[in-house]
Amino acid sequence: MAYSSVSDELVEEFNPKKEEKEGSILEVGDQAVWSLSSCKAGFGIDQLRDDSTDTYWQSDGQLPHLVNIQFRKKTTIQNIWIFADYKADESYTPSRISIRAGTGFSDLQEVEVVELNEPNGWIAIPLKDAQDKYIRTFMLQLAILSNHQSGRDTHLRNFSHLEEKICTPDQLRPKPDNSALVFGKYFTDHMLEVSWDSKRGWAKPIISPLHNLQLHPGAKVLHYAIELFEGMKAYRGEDGCLRLFRPDRNMARMLSTAKRSSLPTFDAEEMIKCIKRLIQIDKEWVPYSTTSSLYIRPTFIATDPSLGVASPNEALLYVLLCPVGPYFTSGFKPISLMADPQYVRSWPGGCGAMKMGANYAPTIYIQKQSELLGHQQVLWLYGADHQLTEVGTMNIFLFMLNKNGERELVTPPLDGLILPGVTRLSLLELAREWKEFRIVERTITMAEVIQAHEEKRLLEIFGAGTACVVCPVSSISYQGREYNIPRSEPSLSQRFLKTMSDIHYGRVQHPWAVDI
């Protein structure tokens, strides 16, 4: 037995019959190194014998590998047990397998990293710590975290390989005053770069003075938008310490988007180490202010000079740093929204859940239209019933009374239409810790918003994202009418902002704040 979250006796007693089909192969380079011959799920180890699930395989010869599971009745993620039988070839034994689980591709979160010491065995995973929600479909993702010596290197070089080229005194840039900071205008002295190609894998990471990129005019990023990015922040605490906020969540989302973009994967932990070092070198650029921060922009682009819609053979992963003030120059003031159903940001089966530039460019024109009408942002709707999806580039939350008079915090589900925001996740987890009102992730329509507004059940609406953290909504313009949105007193959005700010600036100790 290689690994089990339960006793060996229970797993051996189960001893399920192997399915009569070939194993789904995981490959590194051109060599098959790991296979799944069966995978079953159930509501407990004693119920796995029941015919409770259907399993579907998805294998494209690349990592990571996906298993889709359909339940015959609704269950909660917390009740699920996963058993997977694996077998490695004689020349390879993976040392670590990442187990990621969720209700869909955009919802996958790492729930276990399994250490494997034997070439064959069972993996048994109880998802007891996963988010509690009722589901019928479930997705399991297994990814090899170790490298195959004779295959293509799919992971960043070790942090110890990092090369540093520090600015000379004459290359240093003047630092702006905190009062002059606007979002994304100023850049620090240095940047991080790591190049990749399909033959040699990842090159060593390099920190060097900020410089322009040199690209061939035929680079795939310029023609087919094969690129993605992340948005993270570092903060200077009131105690003087520098901290990142949940960088592991950003890296997980970046890897998910890389997979969807046919870009190579990388080792998230090594990437975080490189980002920390970059910030340490440019630490004086982190504002000495509790209203400002250092914005971090990891970016990943396809660079091979080759026309043709195909997976890239060359890519560049780089990181920029920007000192920033408040995203909205007005500060923490409510914003007005334009909601026009003729404009759609995302759709089922698309890339709305991915953080790639192709999702943002088509929204700029619509944003300008809303500004001409006197609004600050767009409320993106979808479908014939005008479902709420996102507000501008933020996730959206409604705080309201349901028809039973109970207070509810409602936000759209991670169904592929919206970005799985790190701030969104954090607010939901904080609210669940408080246990003061119901937390519901479900579809919300404009008809429901209007009804709640007319019945005086709507308490407040706000957006949430890395750039602004929390932003209240003052009004929504929809189908010729202006709906003024109330704000509860005390405001839940203000409470969220204060709690997050206390974590960001070290006023309270919290595991989400990662020391640099």
Side-chain angles (χ1 to χ4, degrees):
M1 188 62 55
Y3 171 84
S4 174
S5 293
V6 294
S7 66
D8 288 351
E9 290 78 8
L10 282 174
V11 178
E12 292 295 347
E13 178 186 356
F14 171 61
N15 192 23
K17 180 181 178 181
K18 304 290 178 65
E19 297 183 22
E20 294 181 359
K21 62 180 178 181
E22 293 184 2
S24 298
I25 305 299
L26 290 161
E27 296 183 352
V28 177
D30 297 324
Q31 184 170 358
V33 295
W34 200 77
S35 67
L36 272 174
S37 57
S38 64
C39 180
K40 291 184 179 292
F43 316 126
I45 190 168
D46 58 335
Q47 297 184 41
L48 287 173
R49 296 187 183 89
D50 296 342
D51 187 20
S52 57
T53 62
D54 294 320
T55 302
Y56 304 92
W57 305 94
Q58 177 180 324
S59 180
D60 56 6
Q62 298 182 9
L63 297 176
H65 175 72
L66 295 175
V67 180
N68 294 297
I69 299 166
Q70 177 79 38
F71 290 95
R72 300 196 189 284
K73 66 177 183 179
K74 276 193 175 183
T75 184
T76 63
I77 291 182
Q78 289 184 336
N79 290 336
I80 299 173
W81 283 73
I82 303 294
F83 281 75
D85 186 39
Y86 72 91
K87 183 177 182 180
D89 67 12
E90 295 180 357
S91 64
Y92 179 79
T93 302
S95 62
R96 292 187 301 155
I97 298 290
S98 171
I99 309 296
R100 299 160 192 161
T103 56
F105 187 80
S106 64
D107 192 30
L108 291 173
Q109 297 184 19
E110 187 173 89
V111 296
E112 195 82 57
V113 174
V114 178
E115 300 288 342
L116 301 179
N117 301 314
E118 299 176 15
N120 308 299
W122 275 90
I123 306 171
I125 311 115
L127 301 183
K128 58 186 178 181
D129 295 327
Q131 183 177 330
D132 187 4
K133 67 172 75 169
Y134 282 92
I135 61 168
R136 281 193 182 276
T137 60
F138 182 75
M139 185 173 286
L140 181 70
Q141 184 185 62
L142 304 115
I144 296 176
L145 298 181
S146 58
N147 296 329
H148 188 264
Q149 294 179 352
S150 63
R152 187 176 73 184
D153 182 6
T154 60
H155 298 284
L156 282 176
R157 295 281 188 89
N158 189 280
F159 175 69
S160 61
H161 295 124
L162 178 65
E163 180 181 339
E164 298 179 7
K165 300 177 181 178
I166 306 301
C167 285
T168 60
D170 61 303
Q171 291 177 308
L172 296 175
R173 299 162 177 263
K175 297 178 178 63
D177 186 82
N178 287 341
S179 62
L181 291 177
V182 293
F183 190 85
K185 181 178 180 180
Y186 301 100
F187 295 90
T188 68
D189 295 317
H190 298 86
M191 64 187 295
L192 168 70
E193 293 175 280
V194 199
S195 62
W196 173 90
D197 70 59
S198 57
K199 294 181 179 179
R200 293 179 293 273
W202 287 102
K204 62 183 177 182
I206 299 175
I207 292 176
S208 61
L210 182 72
H211 58 270
N212 294 333
L213 300 180
Q214 185 173 352
L215 293 176
H216 189 282
K220 275 187 165 53
V221 63
L222 303 177
H223 298 266
Y224 310 114
I226 303 179
E227 67 84 45
L228 58 97
F229 63 92
E230 265 302 322
M232 310 162 57
K233 280 185 176 180
Y235 301 85
R236 187 181 298 276
E238 292 185 350
D239 56 359
C241 293
L242 303 181
R243 298 177 179 89
L244 291 168
F245 183 76
R246 308 193 77 171
D248 58 321
R249 293 290 87 215
N250 292 98
M251 291 299 101
R253 187 170 63 184
M254 193 170 188
L255 286 168
S256 178
T257 308
K259 168 72 174 178
R260 189 68 169 82
S261 306
S262 293
L263 286 164
T265 58
F266 55 86
D267 189 307
E269 293 180 5
E270 296 300 321
M271 185 62 180
I272 292 173
K273 290 178 184 177
C274 291
I275 291 174
K276 283 184 176 181
R277 181 56 186 154
L278 177 63
I279 297 170
Q280 288 169 357
I281 292 172
D282 280 346
K283 62 183 178 181
E284 288 305 311
W285 282 86
V286 184
Y288 287 81
S289 168
T290 56
T291 59
S292 303
S293 57
L294 186 73
Y295 186 77
I296 306 162
R297 175 52 65 89
T299 308
F300 203 0
I301 63 174
T303 56
D304 46 329
S306 173
L307 299 180
V309 182
S311 297
N313 289 312
E314 297 176 19
L316 177 66
L317 176 59
Y318 64 93
V319 181
L320 303 174
L321 304 178
C322 303
V324 297
Y327 186 74
F328 296 110
T329 55
S330 59
F332 188 76
K333 291 183 179 180
I335 60 172
S336 64
L337 308 179
M338 180 191 78
D340 190 337
Q342 71 173 308
Y343 301 119
V344 179
R345 175 192 168 273
S346 61
W347 48 89
C351 300
M354 305 297 154
K355 201 165 180 68
M356 50 179 62
N359 281 338
Y360 293 81
T363 70
I364 297 172
Y365 173 78
I366 315 305
Q367 170 65 28
K368 291 297 182 183
Q369 298 305 304
S370 74
E371 292 173 1
L372 291 174
L373 295 173
H375 305 292
Q376 283 83 43
Q377 289 290 328
V378 177
L379 175 57
W380 297 102
L381 306 177
Y382 170 76
D385 55 352
H386 301 173
Q387 301 169 24
L388 281 67
T389 60
E390 293 191 3
V391 49
T393 58
M394 301 177 285
N395 294 121
I396 190 167
F397 287 84
L398 283 76
F399 191 43
M400 59 188 294
L401 299 175
N402 63 24
K403 293 186 177 181
N404 295 324
E406 301 168 308
R407 293 190 305 165
E408 284 187 346
L409 180 65
V410 187
T411 193
L414 296 179
D415 56 3
L417 293 179
I418 70 171
L419 192 72
V422 178
T423 305
R424 173 190 182 276
L425 174 65
S426 302
L427 299 192
L428 289 174
E429 291 180 355
L430 285 173
R432 290 189 175 102
E433 288 178 8
W434 295 341
K435 298 180 180 179
E436 297 176 11
F437 42 79
R438 289 169 50 85
I439 297 96
V440 185
E441 299 178 60
R442 63 172 175 82
T443 298
I444 315 160
T445 65
M446 279 303 300
E448 181 181 357
V449 173
I450 293 170
Q451 182 181 9
H453 182 272
E454 292 175 346
E455 296 175 356
K456 309 298 183 184
R457 294 187 290 107
L458 190 60
L459 302 178
E460 65 177 304
I461 298 178
F462 55 91
T466 297
C468 69
V469 186
V470 178
C471 180
V473 172
S474 63
S475 64
I476 299 175
S477 177
Y478 172 70
Q479 293 188 335
R481 283 194 59 185
E482 193 86 8
Y483 296 91
N484 293 319
I485 307 302
R487 288 184 67 190
S488 60
E489 292 297 340
S491 165
L492 178 61
S493 56
Q494 283 182 314
R495 182 182 178 186
F496 274 134
L497 181 63
K498 183 182 184 306
T499 303
M500 293 286 282
S501 179
D502 288 344
I503 296 171
H504 292 158
Y505 295 103
R507 300 185 193 106
V508 297
Q509 291 188 342
H510 200 285
W512 294 345
V514 179
D515 289 342
I516 296 174

mmCIF file of all heavy atoms in Angstrom, residues 112-144:
data_model
loop_
_atom_site.group_PDB
_atom_site.id
_atom_site.type_symbol
_atom_site.label_atom_id
_atom_site.label_comp_id
_atom_site.label_asym_id
_atom_site.label_seq_id
_atom_site.Cartn_x
_atom_site.Cartn_y
_atom_site.Cartn_z
ATOM 1 N N GLU A 112 -4.931 17.360 -1.469
ATOM 2 C CA GLU A 112 -3.958 16.416 -0.924
ATOM 3 C C GLU A 112 -2.734 16.384 -1.825
ATOM 4 O O GLU A 112 -2.836 16.515 -3.042
ATOM 5 C CB GLU A 112 -4.574 15.013 -0.859
ATOM 6 C CG GLU A 112 -3.823 14.020 -0.002
ATOM 7 C CD GLU A 112 -4.171 14.156 1.469
ATOM 8 O OE1 GLU A 112 -5.336 14.060 1.830
ATOM 9 O OE2 GLU A 112 -3.221 14.373 2.248
ATOM 10 N N VAL A 113 -1.560 16.241 -1.218
ATOM 11 C CA VAL A 113 -0.350 15.902 -1.955
ATOM 12 C C VAL A 113 0.118 14.559 -1.402
ATOM 13 O O VAL A 113 0.442 14.437 -0.232
ATOM 14 C CB VAL A 113 0.757 16.959 -1.808
ATOM 15 C CG1 VAL A 113 2.043 16.481 -2.468
ATOM 16 C CG2 VAL A 113 0.319 18.282 -2.425
ATOM 17 N N VAL A 114 0.085 13.559 -2.253
ATOM 18 C CA VAL A 114 0.346 12.190 -1.823
ATOM 19 C C VAL A 114 1.795 11.832 -2.103
ATOM 20 O O VAL A 114 2.291 12.012 -3.215
ATOM 21 C CB VAL A 114 -0.595 11.206 -2.556
ATOM 22 C CG1 VAL A 114 -0.297 9.789 -2.138
ATOM 23 C CG2 VAL A 114 -2.039 11.561 -2.267
ATOM 24 N N GLU A 115 2.494 11.335 -1.091
ATOM 25 C CA GLU A 115 3.856 10.822 -1.255
ATOM 26 C C GLU A 115 3.781 9.340 -1.608
ATOM 27 O O GLU A 115 3.209 8.541 -0.859
ATOM 28 C CB GLU A 115 4.649 11.010 0.042
ATOM 29 C CG GLU A 115 4.785 12.455 0.489
ATOM 30 C CD GLU A 115 5.735 13.251 -0.381
ATOM 31 O OE1 GLU A 115 6.538 12.619 -1.103
ATOM 32 O OE2 GLU A 115 5.664 14.487 -0.346
ATOM 33 N N LEU A 116 4.336 8.972 -2.739
ATOM 34 C CA LEU A 116 4.288 7.585 -3.197
ATOM 35 C C LEU A 116 5.680 6.965 -3.106
ATOM 36 O O LEU A 116 6.631 7.479 -3.671
ATOM 37 C CB LEU A 116 3.793 7.521 -4.641
ATOM 38 C CG LEU A 116 2.394 8.115 -4.898
ATOM 39 C CD1 LEU A 116 2.049 8.001 -6.362
ATOM 40 C CD2 LEU A 116 1.360 7.410 -4.052
ATOM 41 N N ASN A 117 5.768 5.853 -2.410
ATOM 42 C CA ASN A 117 7.051 5.189 -2.223
ATOM 43 C C ASN A 117 7.130 3.852 -2.940
ATOM 44 O O ASN A 117 8.166 3.203 -2.932
ATOM 45 C CB ASN A 117 7.313 4.978 -0.726
ATOM 46 C CG ASN A 117 7.333 6.286 0.037
ATOM 47 O OD1 ASN A 117 7.961 7.245 -0.408
ATOM 48 N ND2 ASN A 117 6.632 6.342 1.158
ATOM 49 N N GLU A 118 6.022 3.423 -3.531
ATOM 50 C CA GLU A 118 5.981 2.148 -4.231
ATOM 51 C C GLU A 118 5.435 2.373 -5.638
ATOM 52 O O GLU A 118 4.662 3.305 -5.868
ATOM 53 C CB GLU A 118 5.099 1.157 -3.470
ATOM 54 C CG GLU A 118 5.595 0.859 -2.059
ATOM 55 C CD GLU A 118 4.640 -0.055 -1.310
ATOM 56 O OE1 GLU A 118 3.777 -0.654 -1.969
ATOM 57 O OE2 GLU A 118 4.758 -0.156 -0.086
ATOM 58 N N PRO A 119 5.814 1.520 -6.596
ATOM 59 C CA PRO A 119 5.371 1.717 -7.974
ATOM 60 C C PRO A 119 3.906 1.391 -8.209
ATOM 61 O O PRO A 119 3.334 1.806 -9.201
ATOM 62 C CB PRO A 119 6.271 0.776 -8.776
ATOM 63 C CG PRO A 119 6.678 -0.271 -7.795
ATOM 64 C CD PRO A 119 6.792 0.416 -6.477
ATOM 65 N N ASN A 120 3.268 0.612 -7.300
ATOM 66 C CA ASN A 120 1.877 0.226 -7.484
ATOM 67 C C ASN A 120 1.130 0.383 -6.162
ATOM 68 O O ASN A 120 1.715 0.228 -5.092
ATOM 69 C CB ASN A 120 1.755 -1.224 -7.944
ATOM 70 C CG ASN A 120 2.608 -1.508 -9.158
ATOM 71 O OD1 ASN A 120 2.408 -0.911 -10.195
ATOM 72 N ND2 ASN A 120 3.567 -2.409 -9.005
ATOM 73 N N GLY A 121 -0.158 0.652 -6.227
ATOM 74 C CA GLY A 121 -0.914 0.734 -4.985
ATOM 75 C C GLY A 121 -2.213 1.487 -5.146
ATOM 76 O O GLY A 121 -2.642 1.814 -6.256
ATOM 77 N N TRP A 122 -2.843 1.739 -3.994
ATOM 78 C CA TRP A 122 -4.100 2.483 -3.950
ATOM 79 C C TRP A 122 -3.887 3.844 -3.318
ATOM 80 O O TRP A 122 -3.138 3.988 -2.369
ATOM 81 C CB TRP A 122 -5.139 1.719 -3.124
ATOM 82 C CG TRP A 122 -5.875 0.710 -3.925
ATOM 83 C CD1 TRP A 122 -5.540 -0.586 -4.121
ATOM 84 C CD2 TRP A 122 -7.061 0.930 -4.669
ATOM 85 N NE1 TRP A 122 -6.435 -1.194 -4.945
ATOM 86 C CE2 TRP A 122 -7.396 -0.287 -5.293
ATOM 87 C CE3 TRP A 122 -7.879 2.041 -4.871
ATOM 88 C CZ2 TRP A 122 -8.516 -0.422 -6.101
ATOM 89 C CZ3 TRP A 122 -8.999 1.892 -5.677
ATOM 90 C CH2 TRP A 122 -9.297 0.674 -6.283
ATOM 91 N N ILE A 123 -4.563 4.851 -3.849
ATOM 92 C CA ILE A 123 -4.652 6.155 -3.208
ATOM 93 C C ILE A 123 -6.057 6.256 -2.635
ATOM 94 O O ILE A 123 -7.041 6.071 -3.351
ATOM 95 C CB ILE A 123 -4.431 7.308 -4.206
ATOM 96 C CG1 ILE A 123 -3.113 7.133 -4.962
ATOM 97 C CG2 ILE A 123 -4.462 8.650 -3.502
ATOM 98 C CD1 ILE A 123 -2.947 8.116 -6.104
ATOM 99 N N ALA A 124 -6.175 6.547 -1.361
ATOM 100 C CA ALA A 124 -7.478 6.701 -0.718
ATOM 101 C C ALA A 124 -7.575 8.094 -0.116
ATOM 102 O O ALA A 124 -6.759 8.460 0.719
ATOM 103 C CB ALA A 124 -7.648 5.645 0.374
ATOM 104 N N ILE A 125 -8.548 8.867 -0.567
ATOM 105 C CA ILE A 125 -8.641 10.266 -0.139
ATOM 106 C C ILE A 125 -10.041 10.566 0.380
ATOM 107 O O ILE A 125 -10.999 10.562 -0.399
ATOM 108 C CB ILE A 125 -8.326 11.238 -1.300
ATOM 109 C CG1 ILE A 125 -7.042 10.830 -2.016
ATOM 110 C CG2 ILE A 125 -8.232 12.673 -0.797
ATOM 111 C CD1 ILE A 125 -7.272 10.414 -3.436
ATOM 112 N N PRO A 126 -10.202 10.844 1.666
ATOM 113 C CA PRO A 126 -11.485 11.357 2.151
ATOM 114 C C PRO A 126 -11.496 12.874 2.032
ATOM 115 O O PRO A 126 -10.590 13.542 2.501
ATOM 116 C CB PRO A 126 -11.491 10.926 3.615
ATOM 117 C CG PRO A 126 -10.049 10.922 4.006
ATOM 118 C CD PRO A 126 -9.252 10.610 2.759
ATOM 119 N N LEU A 127 -12.505 13.419 1.386
ATOM 120 C CA LEU A 127 -12.542 14.862 1.161
ATOM 121 C C LEU A 127 -13.284 15.561 2.295
ATOM 122 O O LEU A 127 -14.184 16.357 2.082
ATOM 123 C CB LEU A 127 -13.191 15.164 -0.183
ATOM 124 C CG LEU A 127 -12.487 14.529 -1.382
ATOM 125 C CD1 LEU A 127 -13.156 14.932 -2.675
ATOM 126 C CD2 LEU A 127 -11.018 14.925 -1.401
ATOM 127 N N LYS A 128 -12.875 15.255 3.517
ATOM 128 C CA LYS A 128 -13.582 15.770 4.692
ATOM 129 C C LYS A 128 -13.388 17.258 4.895
ATOM 130 O O LYS A 128 -14.202 17.908 5.535
ATOM 131 C CB LYS A 128 -13.106 15.026 5.936
ATOM 132 C CG LYS A 128 -11.596 15.138 6.178
ATOM 133 C CD LYS A 128 -11.172 14.266 7.330
ATOM 134 C CE LYS A 128 -9.661 14.350 7.542
ATOM 135 N NZ LYS A 128 -9.210 13.478 8.643
ATOM 136 N N ASP A 129 -12.299 17.832 4.354
ATOM 137 C CA ASP A 129 -12.030 19.250 4.580
ATOM 138 C C ASP A 129 -12.463 20.115 3.413
ATOM 139 O O ASP A 129 -12.212 21.302 3.390
ATOM 140 C CB ASP A 129 -10.531 19.466 4.832
ATOM 141 C CG ASP A 129 -10.082 18.795 6.116
ATOM 142 O OD1 ASP A 129 -10.900 18.743 7.049
ATOM 143 O OD2 ASP A 129 -8.935 18.336 6.162
ATOM 144 N N ALA A 130 -13.108 19.496 2.422
ATOM 145 C CA ALA A 130 -13.519 20.275 1.255
ATOM 146 C C ALA A 130 -14.760 21.100 1.579
ATOM 147 O O ALA A 130 -15.402 20.931 2.605
ATOM 148 C CB ALA A 130 -13.803 19.335 0.073
ATOM 149 N N GLN A 131 -15.071 21.981 0.672
ATOM 150 C CA GLN A 131 -16.203 22.879 0.879
ATOM 151 C C GLN A 131 -17.505 22.088 0.882
ATOM 152 O O GLN A 131 -17.729 21.197 0.074
ATOM 153 C CB GLN A 131 -16.214 23.920 -0.239
ATOM 154 C CG GLN A 131 -17.316 24.949 -0.094
ATOM 155 C CD GLN A 131 -17.219 25.977 -1.190
ATOM 156 O OE1 GLN A 131 -16.143 26.264 -1.684
ATOM 157 N NE2 GLN A 131 -18.336 26.511 -1.588
ATOM 158 N N ASP A 132 -18.406 22.423 1.785
ATOM 159 C CA ASP A 132 -19.668 21.702 1.948
ATOM 160 C C ASP A 132 -20.698 22.258 0.967
ATOM 161 O O ASP A 132 -21.227 23.335 1.148
ATOM 162 C CB ASP A 132 -20.157 21.851 3.387
ATOM 163 C CG ASP A 132 -21.382 20.989 3.667
ATOM 164 O OD1 ASP A 132 -21.773 20.239 2.755
ATOM 165 O OD2 ASP A 132 -21.923 21.078 4.778
ATOM 166 N N LYS A 133 -20.989 21.506 -0.104
ATOM 167 C CA LYS A 133 -22.035 21.907 -1.030
ATOM 168 C C LYS A 133 -22.614 20.653 -1.686
ATOM 169 O O LYS A 133 -21.923 19.656 -1.869
ATOM 170 C CB LYS A 133 -21.515 22.885 -2.086
ATOM 171 C CG LYS A 133 -20.525 22.277 -3.051
ATOM 172 C CD LYS A 133 -20.188 23.218 -4.186
ATOM 173 C CE LYS A 133 -19.283 24.323 -3.782
ATOM 174 N NZ LYS A 133 -18.755 25.083 -4.923
ATOM 175 N N TYR A 134 -23.895 20.693 -2.021
ATOM 176 C CA TYR A 134 -24.526 19.545 -2.643
ATOM 177 C C TYR A 134 -24.203 19.526 -4.135
ATOM 178 O O TYR A 134 -24.284 20.548 -4.820
ATOM 179 C CB TYR A 134 -26.038 19.595 -2.439
ATOM 180 C CG TYR A 134 -26.459 19.163 -1.060
ATOM 181 C CD1 TYR A 134 -26.604 20.078 -0.043
ATOM 182 C CD2 TYR A 134 -26.668 17.817 -0.777
ATOM 183 C CE1 TYR A 134 -26.969 19.683 1.235
ATOM 184 C CE2 TYR A 134 -27.022 17.402 0.491
ATOM 185 C CZ TYR A 134 -27.186 18.343 1.497
ATOM 186 O OH TYR A 134 -27.538 17.934 2.747
ATOM 187 N N ILE A 135 -23.864 18.348 -4.628
ATOM 188 C CA ILE A 135 -23.456 18.232 -6.026
ATOM 189 C C ILE A 135 -23.969 16.929 -6.631
ATOM 190 O O ILE A 135 -24.337 15.996 -5.930
ATOM 191 C CB ILE A 135 -21.920 18.254 -6.172
ATOM 192 C CG1 ILE A 135 -21.304 17.069 -5.403
ATOM 193 C CG2 ILE A 135 -21.327 19.563 -5.714
ATOM 194 C CD1 ILE A 135 -19.857 16.850 -5.737
ATOM 195 N N ARG A 136 -24.007 16.900 -7.944
ATOM 196 C CA ARG A 136 -24.238 15.649 -8.669
ATOM 197 C C ARG A 136 -23.006 15.262 -9.486
ATOM 198 O O ARG A 136 -22.770 14.102 -9.753
ATOM 199 C CB ARG A 136 -25.444 15.776 -9.602
ATOM 200 C CG ARG A 136 -26.786 15.646 -8.897
ATOM 201 C CD ARG A 136 -27.905 15.474 -9.911
ATOM 202 N NE ARG A 136 -29.195 15.400 -9.273
ATOM 203 C CZ ARG A 136 -29.708 14.286 -8.769
ATOM 204 N NH1 ARG A 136 -29.015 13.176 -8.816
ATOM 205 N NH2 ARG A 136 -30.898 14.294 -8.215
ATOM 206 N N THR A 137 -22.268 16.260 -9.918
ATOM 207 C CA THR A 137 -21.063 15.974 -10.696
ATOM 208 C C THR A 137 -19.837 16.403 -9.913
ATOM 209 O O THR A 137 -19.885 17.311 -9.104
ATOM 210 C CB THR A 137 -21.097 16.714 -12.044
ATOM 211 O OG1 THR A 137 -21.181 18.115 -11.809
ATOM 212 C CG2 THR A 137 -22.273 16.262 -12.874
ATOM 213 N N PHE A 138 -18.751 15.729 -10.192
ATOM 214 C CA PHE A 138 -17.528 15.940 -9.424
ATOM 215 C C PHE A 138 -16.353 15.707 -10.354
ATOM 216 O O PHE A 138 -16.412 14.868 -11.257
ATOM 217 C CB PHE A 138 -17.495 14.946 -8.256
ATOM 218 C CG PHE A 138 -16.304 15.103 -7.353
ATOM 219 C CD1 PHE A 138 -16.249 16.160 -6.454
ATOM 220 C CD2 PHE A 138 -15.256 14.206 -7.388
ATOM 221 C CE1 PHE A 138 -15.160 16.309 -5.616
ATOM 222 C CE2 PHE A 138 -14.173 14.348 -6.554
ATOM 223 C CZ PHE A 138 -14.135 15.396 -5.660
ATOM 224 N N MET A 139 -15.287 16.471 -10.170
ATOM 225 C CA MET A 139 -14.106 16.318 -11.014
ATOM 226 C C MET A 139 -12.883 16.089 -10.138
ATOM 227 O O MET A 139 -12.695 16.762 -9.127
ATOM 228 C CB MET A 139 -13.894 17.561 -11.882
ATOM 229 C CG MET A 139 -12.754 17.414 -12.882
ATOM 230 S SD MET A 139 -12.673 18.817 -14.027
ATOM 231 C CE MET A 139 -14.074 18.439 -15.077
ATOM 232 N N LEU A 140 -12.098 15.118 -10.515
ATOM 233 C CA LEU A 140 -10.867 14.792 -9.805
ATOM 234 C C LEU A 140 -9.704 14.986 -10.764
ATOM 235 O O LEU A 140 -9.765 14.582 -11.918
ATOM 236 C CB LEU A 140 -10.916 13.337 -9.333
ATOM 237 C CG LEU A 140 -9.714 12.811 -8.544
ATOM 238 C CD1 LEU A 140 -9.678 13.450 -7.171
ATOM 239 C CD2 LEU A 140 -9.791 11.304 -8.420
ATOM 240 N N GLN A 141 -8.651 15.625 -10.293
ATOM 241 C CA GLN A 141 -7.477 15.888 -11.125
ATOM 242 C C GLN A 141 -6.249 15.344 -10.411
ATOM 243 O O GLN A 141 -6.040 15.622 -9.229
ATOM 244 C CB GLN A 141 -7.327 17.382 -11.362
ATOM 245 C CG GLN A 141 -6.178 17.761 -12.296
ATOM 246 C CD GLN A 141 -6.019 19.267 -12.393
ATOM 247 O OE1 GLN A 141 -5.741 19.925 -11.413
ATOM 248 N NE2 GLN A 141 -6.224 19.821 -13.574
ATOM 249 N N LEU A 142 -5.468 14.544 -11.121
ATOM 250 C CA LEU A 142 -4.243 13.990 -10.557
ATOM 251 C C LEU A 142 -3.070 14.455 -11.405
ATOM 252 O O LEU A 142 -3.083 14.329 -12.616
ATOM 253 C CB LEU A 142 -4.302 12.457 -10.532
ATOM 254 C CG LEU A 142 -5.511 11.887 -9.788
ATOM 255 C CD1 LEU A 142 -6.396 11.142 -10.756
ATOM 256 C CD2 LEU A 142 -5.080 10.984 -8.660
ATOM 257 N N ALA A 143 -2.057 15.033 -10.754
ATOM 258 C CA ALA A 143 -0.919 15.575 -11.490
ATOM 259 C C ALA A 143 0.380 15.128 -10.834
ATOM 260 O O ALA A 143 0.538 15.230 -9.621
ATOM 261 C CB ALA A 143 -0.975 17.096 -11.532
ATOM 262 N N ILE A 144 1.306 14.622 -11.644
ATOM 263 C CA ILE A 144 2.626 14.248 -11.130
ATOM 264 C C ILE A 144 3.412 15.513 -10.823
ATOM 265 O O ILE A 144 3.532 16.405 -11.662
ATOM 266 C CB ILE A 144 3.376 13.377 -12.155
ATOM 267 C CG1 ILE A 144 2.634 12.050 -12.372
ATOM 268 C CG2 ILE A 144 4.801 13.119 -11.693
ATOM 269 C CD1 ILE A 144 3.257 11.190 -13.438
#
